[in-house]
Amino acid sequence: MFAFGRNLLRLIFALSFATAISGAESGNRVLAILEDEALKVSHKEFLSSVVEAGFEVTTGLSRDGSLRLKEWDEWLFDHLIILAPRAIEFSRAFGVKDVLEFVDSGRNVLFTGDVGFSSKIGELAQECGVDLDGEDTQVLDHLNFAQGSGDAGLPDDDSALIAADTSPTDAITGGFDSGAPVLFRGVAATLPPDTELAVPALLAPSTSYSSGQKEKLSSVKDPAIGRDISLVTLVQARNNARVSIFGSLEMLSDAFFNAKFKVWASGVSHDAPANREFCFKTAMWTFQRRGVLVVEDDRIKHWEMSSKATPEMYRINDDIHFEIGVSEQRDGKKIPFKADDVQLEYTMMDPHIRTNLLPSKEGGVLSADFKAPDVYGVFKFVMEYRKPGYSYIDIVRQAPIRPFRHNEFGRFLVSAYPYYVSCFSIMIGFFVLGFFFLYHK
């Protein structure tokens, strides 16, 4: 009876362990919420590119009551796409609070705003630290706008069709340069000056501004102008969950992917904009396929340089070597991470030592050599790396410092030489004075 109970417990534990492992590895489940059925056709290329990247995409309409993010306290999806900027609700089963809880659990969200966006989209963006401009406003530019050919579905003269140049970063988009701008028609977003988590991925041209369709720019208080306008904004939470906010639904459409156009200000014609590559790589960044820094625990090492051993406690003035192995996950592959702006702190309450970690020639290993301070106590190695586009690294390792033991002090201390001299000089003076006192009258 007891043997049967033990075997049953072992089976339950094995099944639960296997479930936990498979759940940890299955990070490809995507729920795409669409505003209407027509988006399956108009945005087919973008959704297909996500599927081709290895994700399992489940699509549904915002008015569908059967869509759920969680069931029995278990998340059903790892990533969420919301292509419903004007929908009154994301689903009848969940709202903004549930999406925020989804992000708090470490999962990722990509959603779009647009002209006439709903209050739910505005609330979600604001909770992420991004302010969308008024619901009836849009980004306008009377110089850097695109003139499209009629057969591509783009108007010949529309100052709301912005041609924005990309400033790609290696972490987010891989540093691509298609030579063409990104087409955008939608609503502006602004970031608070003290934001720490949000960064713009696509800025409006310096000649752009945000204005309502029925109001003059001069009547708007503190309007969004030029490079203060973020067209696409990326947010990385402190738990490394990621959120992408596109100010335009059309920029993800097939029509914008394949449009032939000419920029009015420069007169340069383009066979296709950079929308396809920019939107796809931004989505891959959002879904943790790019810019993810990985640190294995066994690649964090430190030792005393003379003995090449890691003691329980270092001694004051010891020479210490610290190294850490960092890999970057990019498109499903781990590559050595190379950077020269990573710092290490050796701290007790306050940093006593702050030094740069130098990369190895091959990359992937960052190291530093330094001398322990002449202060003993509970010290820690602290490494905090927060660079836009990369996941955060927070490493803390305890490494106390002790004073010299009684048998570790040197036989003669250099700092005590004056006292040694004074002691021997008194002894010599005593003998000389005694000799003269005893043998001379």
Side-chain angles (χ1 to χ4, degrees), residues 268-318:
V268 179
S269 298
H270 300 278
D271 292 332
N275 288 50
R276 185 193 307 274
E277 192 170 6
F278 174 80
C279 294
F280 173 73
K281 291 196 173 183
T282 302
M284 292 301 99
W285 179 89
T286 307
F287 299 153
Q288 306 280 344
R289 287 290 182 90
R290 303 188 64 86
V292 178
L293 301 182
V294 181
V295 178
E296 286 96 5
D297 191 66
D298 59 351
R299 298 186 66 189
I300 304 175
K301 303 175 183 179
H302 56 89
W303 58 78
E304 200 275 319
M305 294 178 64
S306 62
S307 63
K308 303 293 184 180
T310 303
E312 293 184 3
M313 291 188 290
Y314 288 100
R315 192 177 61 184
I316 56 175
N317 296 324
D318 270 352

Side-chain angles (χ1 to χ4, degrees), residues 39-249:
L39 291 178
K40 292 183 179 180
V41 178
S42 62
H43 291 64
K44 181 180 179 180
E45 292 189 24
F46 173 72
L47 295 174
S48 298
S49 66
V50 177
V51 175
E52 292 171 1
F55 292 93
E56 303 172 5
V57 180
T58 302
T59 59
L61 301 180
S62 58
R63 58 179 177 272
D64 190 351
S66 62
L67 295 178
R68 285 177 172 80
L69 287 176
K70 180 191 288 188
E71 190 171 11
W72 299 108
D73 287 337
E74 182 179 350
W75 295 105
L76 303 178
F77 300 96
D78 305 295
H79 315 286
L80 177 62
I81 299 175
I82 304 176
L83 303 182
R86 302 176 188 85
I88 300 176
E89 55 187 0
F90 304 141
S91 171
R92 296 176 184 175
F94 62 88
V96 174
K97 182 179 178 181
D98 302 283
V99 175
L100 294 176
E101 185 181 353
F102 186 77
V103 174
D104 288 340
S105 67
R107 289 160 172 81
N108 314 293
V109 179
L110 183 153
F111 69 95
T112 65
D114 212 319
V115 179
F117 63 88
S118 66
S119 58
K120 294 293 184 182
I121 289 292
E123 181 184 355
L124 180 58
Q126 195 168 31
E127 290 290 342
C128 295
V130 179
D131 296 325
L132 295 180
D133 213 351
E135 298 175 8
D136 60 340
T137 63
Q138 61 181 340
V139 182
L140 302 174
D141 196 318
H142 302 292
L143 293 177
N144 291 290
F145 66 92
Q147 293 179 307
S149 57
D151 57 348
L154 301 181
D156 294 333
D157 187 6
D158 186 3
S159 59
L161 186 59
I162 309 300
D165 292 323
T166 60
S167 54
T169 59
D170 189 63
I172 300 171
T173 58
F176 82 95
D177 185 10
S178 66
V182 174
L183 292 184
F184 177 94
R185 180 163 52 198
V187 67
T190 56
L191 305 179
D194 58 346
T195 183
E196 296 181 356
L197 306 178
V199 294
L202 183 66
L203 291 173
S206 57
T207 53
S208 301
Y209 65 95
S210 177
S211 178
Q213 301 176 2
K214 298 181 180 180
E215 60 184 354
K216 296 181 179 180
L217 182 62
S218 58
S219 63
V220 180
K221 184 179 180 181
D222 297 329
I225 300 176
R227 307 295 283 181
D228 292 336
I229 298 176
S230 176
L231 305 180
V232 178
T233 309
L234 308 180
V235 180
Q236 184 163 259
R238 300 187 189 281
N239 63 349
N240 281 326
R242 292 173 173 178
V243 180
S244 293
I245 305 171
F246 289 73
S248 169
L249 178 62

